[in-house]
Amino acid sequence: MTLQIIRELFAEGISDKRGEKMAKIMHISDLHLDCALSELDEEKREIRRAEIKESFENAIDYAVENKAEVILISGDVFDSPCPLKSTVEFVKKTLNAVKAYVFISPGNHDPYTSKAYKELEKELNPNVKIFKDAFECVDLPNLNMRIYGRGFMSECEPSSLLKGFRVIDDDMASIVVIHGEVTSGESSYNPIDIKDIAQSGADYIALGHTHAFSQICRAENTCYAYCGTHEGHGFDECGDKGFIFGDVEKGNVKLKFVPLCKRKYYSFETDVSDCEIIEDISSKMNEIIEKNGSENLYKFILTGYRNADLRISESVLKSRADAFFVKVYDRARVKADFESIATEKNLRGICIKNILNDINDENREKLEKVLDFFAELF
Amino acid sequence: MKLLVIKELNIVNFGNISNKKISFSDGFNVIAGENESGKSTILSFIRFIFYGVSSRKSEIKKYEPLLGGKISGTATVVFDGCEYEIIRDLNLTKAKQVRVINKSTSEEADRDFCAAVGENFLKMNEESFINTYFIGQLSAKITGGNDEILNKLSNLSSSGDEDISYNEIIGEIDEQIADLTSPRRKNAVILSLEKEIDDANSKIYRIKIQNEQKKELEAELARTEKELKEAKDEKNALTESINSARVLEIRKRLADEKNNIVRLKTSIEADKAKLYKIVPDKLFENIDKEKEAEFLKEPETDFDKSIQKLDDEYKKISLMRNIICILGAILTVLLCFINPFFFSIGILIIAFLCFLHKKSKNIIEKRDEFKKCKNEHESMKKEYLKRFESESKEEYLSKKAKYKEYENEKRILLEKIKTQTENLEILVKMHENTENDALTNYKNIDTIKVADYNLNVNIEEANEKIKKLDSEILLKTEKIHRLKFETEKDESFVEAQEKLEAAKTALAKAKERYEILETAKNYINMAFNELKSSFAPSLSENTSEIFEKLTEKKYSGVLINEKFLAKIKMGNSYEDAGFLSSGALDQLYFSMRMGIINTLKQDNEEYPVILDDAFAFYDDTRLKAVLDFLTEYSKHSQIVLSSCHMREADYLGKKANIINL
């Protein structure tokens, strides 16, 4: 089965260099503008939301400076189908300022049918193309390239949007922009089988959905990659974020990851067993912060065993840390010889004894917390 | 094994005792002395040595040295095989008030140790000590089953550390649970978080619904905007029509006015020309009315007729005269012939003739006068006619009539010209106004393009319609404003979502805490029950054993429940202890006290039992029994008993170390 492709021609280009050199492309995705950032406190949320926008602007600036001819956005531009009007305006303004061809393939967070695109499409420059339900192909003869794409039409696309797709087989380079999950199993978010990628015959498939850079992968002659999000949105998106940039021509893909985020999320487990006072924990944390940059966001999970009288205040640790944002999770156990307490013939002893007897793999986490509670109580 | 033995007390200054050394054996010690001899003070000194006075400030006063200075003293104890000296001196600075020296190594214990001497040596706090090993005078006298001491025992049994009682722990946990969940707490964490989540959820729901509704509102907005445009277009068309009609009307009016002016001017010119042509006879300009009246006046009498009449009359009279003359003459002659008298007749006739003559003469005169008048009149007429160049009166009159006619015509014309000139002025003024109006409204009315609208528009109807359209436009505009406001309400539920998620996280944490607390509470209750249920049988057993000994097997079975209520075996059943005599009850509580000690103590951990005149009210039999028991007990625990009687010392003899005060 071959998917029918609606074809369109972008005749006017920013440069005419058919076959002379490779086309410069940028692949960015999963902006999640107006994303909820509940891990942060109120003030930082606002700042971060603004920065996520700013970072997108920076990425586009990078593309302009580096003379990108095609910008591929693989979905989830907006975090919700009903973003703030101002956010839609921001995207419109940012994209309308670009001369390069822009291709957007809506994702599960912002399906094409959503209000976001309805608003965005108003007064959008003609060089910006938003893909929708059917596969569409835009010919860029100036670049000797075709861009294919298909967008999410609802928040769920349980069957593969790429299945059976094959590019037109000629000497023009082909790129596919699509949002989905590369999996061999099932998924509500356009499950893309590697086989479908391999059979597509495209030179590059610009994927969106996963928030981490996947490296540039290859299936048969098709390269594909998740560029990840351009700016971390939470502690589950740690490390460098950015976009993919490089050159593509028929049979030749030279892309690399460009880290260009404003701030990074870090998550560290910190053993506090050797800490006697809370200041020791603080300096441990600050050491890590100093090493990784105070502009970043940190999550510290305190582990190990602490003295019962070392009371850990997450807010005190937070206030003593020299970073843009710090979150502290106290997972440290209390240092206590429960085995010996359990031999005591008194309330405490019996309590501890009973708990130790009751502990199994299922309730371990909970009962250990109860043990710690007792260790602090008695 | 005797874990702790008090070897010696050196009371330097304590209450009424000063510089007194008391040595104890590791067995049974009896301090004997009169009332007020200081027995209780010595026992209190033991308490002081271990626990100080910090927690009993009122006792500082009670044991304030009578000789002045501050409380001080030392004690030598053997603990776990080592000898220690405990030195307390309240004269010194707080840090130095307590010292503990290991006599075999001469090492001084650290401050932490010194701060809790009793806890370190006796493994219990002061309260527990008082409730167990330190048996005061009152303890034996307590009757009934559920008052202070039993509560204390209950607390004692409930916690290993004795710092925190079961009730306190449960109280604290319940407090924390209440902070999380009690609806009576103003900011119960879980409840307020749940409310926050509810609020956030409903806000999100509301915004989502709003977003749904927005689509409809936007459609309505578009519809309304279209309707508004239609209404406006219709209004514009109408206004345009009205304007065009007005322009045309004004143009027509201007033209009409201009025409009228021209026509009027022409008419005035024509009239003026006509006026020139009217030249009336100047002779008639000034007519002497009197003369004219005279001229026109017909003579009063008809001269000719009167002359004729007079002529006729004259002729008649002449004839008559002639006839009479002849006839008279004849007659007179004739008669005179007859009679001369008749001559007179002739005279008469002559007279008559004379009269006639005169009359005719008058007539002639009259006639002449008439003739003269007639002539005068005619000459006057002739002259008048001549003056007016007329031949006859008729001509005169016709000429005069003609003059009058001319005059009249001229007057009318003048009048007309005057009126018309006035009218012209008004017209010109009007025209000017119209022109001004047109100028102010249309600048150049002539160049205005007249739209190709329905020019047959009825302005009134159109205005009426415009009025309706205006109100429609107003309504629609308002509606659009409202709809725009509604649709442009750019509310994001991101914030609500964040609040929701943060609250959910916090709730999960609070619930985890809640679960920990509940679980901890369960374990504590479980342990407490276990402790009580493990405590109760052994306590019963221990108490039974002692009580049996003390009562010399009169009572053999005591059952103590978890609430420390004792039942005594009577035959095959157990009875409430209330039936016991007060002496037996004293024995029972002493048994329970010792039972508790036996139950609580760990293996090989024997502490001194201090008894402050505990058996003062015992009869001799009972005393003997208890002393026998204690003698036996002193084999593994040091006993210090104070008494105001000598009977204990007497009975015990060499079995005890008797200290006489």
Side-chain angles (χ1 to χ4, degrees), chain A residues 25-28 72 74 145-148 165 167 173-178 197 200-208 213-217 221-228 243-256:
Chain A
I25 69 151
M26 177 202 199
H27 170 203
I28 189 166
L72 312 166
S74 318
M145 182 176 272
R146 288 196 187 95
I147 312 289
Y148 301 81
F165 169 78
V167 300
S174 49
I175 291 178
V176 179
V177 193
I178 200 153
I197 292 177
S200 69
D203 290 292
Y204 179 62
I205 298 185
L207 292 168
F213 171 53
S214 64
Q215 303 300 327
I216 311 289
C217 310
N221 291 321
T222 301
C223 289
Y224 65 95
Y226 284 107
C227 59
F243 47 87
I244 290 171
F245 197 87
D247 306 284
V248 175
E249 66 178 0
K250 176 82 179 172
N252 189 6
V253 171
K254 281 183 184 168
L255 295 170
K256 64 175 191 335

Side-chain angles (χ1 to χ4, degrees), chain B residues 104-157:
Chain B
S104 47
T105 61
S106 297
E107 267 177 37
E108 197 164 335
D110 59 22
R111 281 184 62 189
D112 282 350
F113 188 93
C114 293
V117 177
E119 284 81 354
N120 284 315
F121 283 122
L122 292 158
K123 303 287 176 218
M124 68 185 87
N125 65 13
E126 186 173 13
E127 197 174 359
S128 300
F129 178 65
I130 293 168
N131 282 324
T132 51
Y133 293 93
F134 195 91
I135 303 169
Q137 285 168 318
L138 290 175
S139 65
K141 282 163 72 184
I142 287 166
T143 56
N146 61 346
D147 50 358
E148 196 184 34
I149 185 121
L150 285 185
N151 279 333
K152 282 175 181 170
L153 288 171
S154 150
N155 280 342
L156 169 77
S157 68

